[in-house]
Amino acid sequence: MSVVVVVGAQWGDEGKGKVVDAHLGEIDLLVHYAGGANPGQTIVAEGERLVLHIVPPGAMRQGKHVLLGQGMVIDPLVLLEELDALTDHGVRSGELQVDLRAHVVMPHHRLLDRLRDEVEGASGIPRRGIGPAYGDKTIRRGAQMGDLLYPERLQYKVEQSLKAHTPLIRELGGQAPPVSAVVDTLAKAGERLRARMVDGSRLVRDAIAAGKRILLEAPLGTMVDPDHGAYPFVVAASTVAGGAAIGAGIPPRAIERVVGVAKCYSTRSGPGPFPAEVTGDLATRLQQTGGEFSATGKPRRCGMLDIPALRFAARVNGFDALALTKLDVLSGLDQIPICVGYELDGKVCDEPPFEGLSRVTPLVETLPGWSEQLSDRRSFDDLPENAKRYVTLIEEITALRIATVGVGPDRSQMLVRDRLL
Ligand code: GDP
C-alpha cells in the first residue's frame, strides 16, 4: 500500500514509535500530521544519550524523508536544537522538511505551560506549549511557520498573541517576554529553517503521484482526540485517522490503509476517567514490568485491556489491522482480567457512551495467564497456548485482525502474522 496511516488505539503510549520504526524500511516518506513535541525518544550517538521530541530519530538515522505536516504545532527553537545535536553527534540525517502552514509554538506558549505546571502541579503530561499554540491557532491569532520568513507579519502575530496571554502570565506570577525579543528569536530561527520550509500538501501529492510509499503517523491515541475522546480530558491535536487528511493536506480518498496500535493492557498519563483502571499489586506490576512511567517520572495509571474503547477506536478510525504491543509484560500473571463492556444505569454499553466514562462500571472477564517469558519467541505459533488465546479472543470480540504482536522493546521482538502496512 502506498499511503498508510498509523494511529494509537487507546490513550497514547501504545508503542507506536517502535511499530513505525520497525517498518521504516518499507516506506519513502514519513509524515507527522498533528501534535507537537512528544515526550521524547532517546537515541545513543557517540556514547551520548540524545532525547529528541520533534525530530523522529529512527527515520533520520535511516536517511528517510520526513515531513512535519501542516496539522502540527512546532517549536522552531526545539527543532533547531535537535537538528544541531544530530549534526554535532555525526548522526546520518535524512531530509526533514516543515510545512509552511504548521503553527508555531512561541516562547511565551512554553512559559505559560511551565507556569501552569508550577501553580497547578505537574500533570504527568509534559507541557511544551502545545495547548496554547493550538489555542492561538483556533482563535485566529497564531503564527504559521511561513510567517517566520516575513518580519512584519510575524511582528503583528506575536503582538496579538502576547497581548492576549500577558495578563494570564502575570496572574500566574510570570513575566511575559517583550515582543521585540520574541520576534527577533523567531525570525532568526526562521532564517535557519528557510531551506526546509515547503508546501507540504503539494509535497505529499507529488510523492503519491510518483508512487512513493508514505506513512502518516498520528500523535498520542484515539481516546484523547479532541472530537472523539472523553472531552474535556483530551488534547488539542487530532489523533485519529480522519485528521491525517487534514494534517497532511491530502484528500481522504488518498489514504489506502489504516493501522491501529494497541497495548494489550491500558495506560493513561494524566487525569480523566479511566474505567478499566486497576490499583494495588496488578497496577504496580504493570508499571514496573511495562516501564509505565511518564517522561516526568510519574507512574502511568494502568488498567485492563479496555475492549469498548478498542472497539470504538476501530470504528472511528476504520482500522484495517492492529499491531498489538507488550504481550510480554503480561507473563507471570495467573489470571488476566479484561474489561469486555461497561454498565451504565443498568444497561450494557459496548462502546464509550456520551454520558461519560466517569459513570460507567467495567464488566470484567478473567482469562487464564501464562508463566513463560515471551521475549525470545520469534513466531506466533511459538507462544504459550494461553497467550495465543488472549490474542485471538481480542480478535474475536473486536472483529479486528491482529497483524503483529510485540514481545519486547526491540524491533526484532515483533511476531509478524500478516503484513502490517
Ligand atoms: P508511543 O508513544 O506510542 O510511540 O510509544 P513508544 O514507541 O515510545 O513505546 C513506549 C515504550 O514501549 C518504548 O520504550 C518501547 O520500546 C516499548 N515497547 C514497544 N513495544 C513493546 C513490546 O512489545 N514489549 C515491551 N516490553 N516494550 C515495548
Side-chain angles (χ1 to χ4, degrees):
M1 291 282 172
S2 60
V3 185
V4 180
V5 188
V6 175
V7 173
Q10 297 157 317
W11 282 265
D13 306 311
E14 293 94 348
K16 224 173 336 97
K18 186 191 98 170
V19 172
V20 168
D21 273 12
H23 290 85
L24 284 173
E26 298 168 36
I27 65 160
D28 302 302
L29 171 65
L30 174 67
V31 183
H32 280 197
Y33 63 79
N38 57 44
Q41 278 185 284
T42 306
I43 58 162
V44 179
E46 292 178 333
E48 231 185 280
R49 288 163 69 84
L50 301 180
V51 183
L52 304 177
H53 303 281
I54 299 183
V55 178
M60 295 299 276
R61 261 199 162 141
Q62 290 193 32
K64 296 290 168 185
H65 190 176
V66 174
L67 172 69
L68 304 182
Q70 64 185 40
M72 289 189 75
V73 291
I74 296 167
D75 187 327
L77 307 180
V78 176
L79 176 59
L80 282 168
E81 224 171 78
E82 295 188 359
L83 291 168
D84 288 346
L86 286 177
T87 311
D88 292 349
H89 289 81
V91 176
R92 176 184 168 205
S93 174
E95 192 179 355
L96 180 138
Q97 295 188 291
V98 182
D99 200 304
L100 288 156
R101 293 184 176 83
H103 273 250
V104 179
V105 174
M106 303 191 224
H108 53 278
H109 292 146
R110 257 188 318 178
L111 172 64
L112 254 176
D113 264 358
R114 188 169 56 73
L115 293 170
R116 279 185 55 199
D117 259 357
E118 279 169 21
V119 172
E120 295 167 12
S123 60
I125 304 167
R127 293 200 173 143
R128 300 175 195 282
I130 296 172
Y134 272 117
D136 273 359
K137 172 182 176 178
T138 308
I139 216 151
R140 296 185 293 275
R141 59 168 182 244
Q144 291 171 289
M145 289 299 285
D147 291 331
L148 303 186
L149 308 176
Y150 298 93
E152 276 177 24
R153 277 165 75 157
L154 181 61
Q155 166 98 18
Y156 176 74
K157 295 190 169 185
V158 171
E159 271 170 13
Q160 296 300 303
S161 174
L162 265 173
K163 198 162 117 192
H165 290 302
T166 298
L168 183 58
I169 292 175
R170 282 210 197 106
E171 202 176 300
L172 293 170
Q175 199 183 353
V179 172
S180 57
V182 175
V183 171
D184 193 47
T185 309
L186 291 178
K188 282 191 180 126
E191 265 323 306
R192 289 195 58 207
L193 290 168
R194 181 183 282 275
R196 296 183 184 271
M197 295 213 207
V198 285
D199 182 331
S201 171
R202 281 171 174 261
L203 184 149
V204 183
R205 180 202 60 187
D206 292 347
I208 294 171
K212 298 261 171 70
R213 297 159 306 169
I214 302 157
L215 193 155
L216 309 164
E217 182 179 344
L220 300 152
T222 300
M223 293 303 289
V224 293
D225 182 83
D227 295 290
H228 300 287
Y231 189 86
F233 301 100
V234 294
V235 297
S238 172
T239 63
V240 294
I246 297 164
I250 55 172
R253 283 174 200 266
I255 296 166
E256 292 162 285
R257 186 168 169 84
V258 181
V259 167
V261 182
K263 202 146 42 180
C264 59
Y265 51 95
S266 307
T267 58
R268 172 156 206 171
S269 303
F274 188 28
E277 185 164 17
V278 294
T279 50
D281 288 351
L282 181 56
T284 311
R285 211 199 136 103
L286 293 173
Q287 279 155 2
Q288 300 294 338
T289 319
E292 301 297 354
F293 295 90
S294 72
T296 56
K298 209 171 163 180
R300 290 188 186 127
R301 297 159 70 195
C302 289
M304 304 167 257
L305 181 67
D306 186 323
I307 295 287
L310 192 54
R311 220 183 253 129
F312 172 70
R315 182 169 67 76
V316 294
N317 292 294
F319 292 148
D320 294 296
L322 196 67
L324 192 70
T325 62
K326 294 199 163 184
L327 190 65
D328 53 303
V329 174
L330 301 183
S331 286
L333 294 174
D334 286 342
Q335 303 281 323
I336 307 174
I338 61 172
C339 168
V340 293
Y342 306 137
E343 195 187 304
L344 176 72
D345 300 333
K347 291 201 185 103
V348 173
C349 315
D350 60 355
E351 285 187 5
F354 169 74
E355 286 78 1
L357 292 180
S358 53
R359 287 187 48 228
V360 303
T361 314
L363 299 172
V364 181
E365 275 183 21
T366 305
L367 297 181
W370 57 92
S371 56
E372 299 90 331
Q373 296 300 315
L374 307 184
S375 45
D376 57 352
R377 306 294 163 111
R378 289 295 172 270
S379 99
F380 185 74
D381 291 337
D382 287 347
L383 290 177
E385 280 312 312
N386 285 349
K388 277 192 236 172
R389 183 70 198 121
Y390 188 77
V391 174
T392 51
L393 188 81
I394 299 170
E395 286 187 316
E396 281 162 25
I397 43 187
T398 58
L400 284 172
R401 173 66 179 168
I402 296 178
T404 62
V405 179
V407 291
D410 198 77
R411 280 200 302 181
S412 63
Q413 292 170 309
M414 196 182 283
L415 314 179
V416 181
R417 301 171 77 207
D418 293 335
R419 259 184 87 92
L420 190 63
L421 304 192

